[in-house]
Amino acid sequence: MDKFLIKGPSKVRGKVSIPGSKNASLPILAATLLFDKEVIVKNLPRVKDLEVMISLLKSLGSKITLSKDKKTAKIINPKKMKTFANYSIVKKMRGSFLVLGPLVAKHKNSKCSLPGGCNLGARPVNYHLEALKKLGMSYTLKDGYILAKSKGKLKGAVITFPKVSVGATENLIIAACLAKSKTTLHRCAIEPEIKDLTNFLNSAGAKIKWSGRTCIIEGVNSLKQTEYSIMSDRIMAGTFCIAACINQGDLEIENINSKIINTELNLLRRVGARIRCIENKIYIKGPKKIKSIKNIKTKEYPGVATDLQSQLMVLMCKAHGKSNITENIFENRFMHVAELRRLGAKINIQKNTAIIQGVKKLVAAPLMSSDLRASISLVLAGMSAEGESRVDRIYHLDRGAENFEKQLKKIGVNIKRVK
Ligand code: EPZ
C-alpha cells in the first residue's frame, strides 16, 4: 500500500491550477444514464472515484470513450441497457447510488446495491428512497439490494426533504427530468456541484429552475445531445488556500471562482491571511501569526464545508490561543484527531465539537489516513510538523485528489510517494 513521506516544516510558494470537481463529476456522469444521444463531459478530474463511476456505467452498458488525458468522456447509451448496479462496484464508492434515480426514470427498473456505511458514519439513503417513492417508484430490499421499479413513467410530485441532503437532492433532480409533469423539491441542498448538475441537464434541454432551496423540474420526454465542462473542485481550492496559511505560504490559485468558497476565504481572512480574488484566480499570503477562531461550525452550503473541516483543524493546531470546530453534518468526522494528537496537537473532543489549544510546534510522526479529506489533512499536518512524517493508506487520498503530491512538490513541499 502506497504511503507518503513528508519533510516539514514547509511553506508553499508558487502557482497551482485546480482540476475538475469530483463531487460535480459523479452526479453528472450518473445523469448521463438519462440520455440516448451522445454526451461529452469535459474537465473530469483523474481520480479513483471517477474510474469507479465509469466502470459502473460501462457495466450497465454505456459506451464510454476517454480522451488520452482522461479528462474528456464521450458517452453513448444503447437502447437496451442493464439496470443492475453490482455491490462489488457500489461498495467502492457511495456516489454510485446516484444511478438509481436515472435508471428507474429511464428504464423503469433497477437492482441497485445499497452503499455500505463509511468512516464518516452510517450514511443511510432513506431520504433518496422515500422521495423516489413519491415519484412513483416502488421497491423492496433483498440481500442488500434495492429492487426498484415504476409502472410506466415516474410522475411529478411535491416533495419536502426531511433534512438537507446533497445526494438525495441530486438523485431526485435527475429522476424528475424525465418524469411526467412537474416536480417541486423543497429543502434542497444548494451546493455549487448541484448547480453544476442543473446547468449540465439544462444544457441538454431539461427544464430545471431554482428559488432558494426549492427546485422545480418540468419533466421532458428526452434529453438532447450536449457537451459540458465540469466546474473546478472548490474543496481542493480551499485545501490549497489553507496550505498557504501554514508557515506563511504564498500561492496563486487559478481556475477557481472564488465566490463559491467565500465563506471559507472570509474565515481565513480572520486567521490573518491576505487574500485577493481577481477573475478566476485567488492570491493568498499566509499570516505570520495564525489567529485562533472560536465557533467554526460546519453547515450545509453556503456554510463552512464539512469537507474542509479536517484541513481547518490542522491550521488551528498551530494558532495562537484556543479555537473550536463543531461538525454538524456527519456523526463521526473526527477520525483525524487521534492522528493529529500523535504530532503533539492539543485537541479535546466534547460531543461533536473539537476544542483545539494551539501549540508552537508539531513534531513529525507516522500517521494513518481514514478517509479522503482526513488523509489530505494529514499531508497538511506533515507539512506543518518538524521532521519527516509518514502518511499510510493514501489510497483514500487517491480517490479524490488529482496528482496531489505532484502539485505540492511543484510549490515547494518535500513529499514523496513510496510503496
Ligand atoms: C456529499 O455526500 C459529498 N459526496 C460529501 O463529500 C459531502 O461531505 C456531503 O455531500 C456533505 O456536503 C459527494 O458529493 C459524492 P448528504 P452525501 O446526503 O450526498 C445524512 C467527499 O469527501 N443522510 O448531504 O452522502 C447523512 O448521513 C465526500 O468528497 C441521511 O440521513 O451527503 C449525513 O449525516 C464526503 N439520509 C447528512 O445527511 C439520507 O438519505 C448529509 O449527507 C442522506 C443523507
Side-chain angles (χ1 to χ4, degrees), residues 22-23 123-128 165-167 307 329-330 373:
K22 164 181 86 81
N23 289 352
R123 297 188 75 183
V125 286
N126 50 330
Y127 304 154
H128 301 234
S165 157
V166 170
D307 290 350
I329 305 292
F330 290 108
R373 308 300 174 183

Side-chain angles (χ1 to χ4, degrees), residues 203-248:
S203 77
K207 295 196 172 79
I208 308 167
K209 286 202 302 290
W210 284 92
S211 158
R213 286 192 182 275
T214 294
C215 182
I216 298 171
I217 307 107
E218 285 290 347
V220 293
N221 282 329
S222 67
L223 295 172
K224 300 183 305 227
Q225 190 169 350
T226 190
E227 181 168 325
Y228 189 80
S229 191
I230 302 269
M231 66 176 272
S232 302
D233 192 313
R234 66 184 164 108
I235 303 301
M236 290 316 292
T239 298
F240 281 109
C241 288
I242 293 166
C245 293
I246 296 172
N247 307 323
Q248 283 185 272

Side-chain angles (χ1 to χ4, degrees), residues 118-121 327 330-335 371:
C118 82
N119 289 331
L120 306 182
E327 170 57 53
F330 290 108
E331 65 263 31
N332 181 30
R333 198 168 202 172
F334 284 148
M335 308 279 279
D371 62 82

Side-chain angles (χ1 to χ4, degrees), residues 2 75 94 127 133 139 148 165 192 202 206 250 269 275 299 368 372 374 380 385:
D2 287 8
I75 301 171
R94 299 177 41 74
Y127 304 154
K133 267 175 77 176
Y139 72 92
S165 157
N202 282 344
D250 182 351
R269 287 187 177 101
I275 300 171
K299 279 207 190 77
M368 178 84 83
L372 166 59
L380 297 186

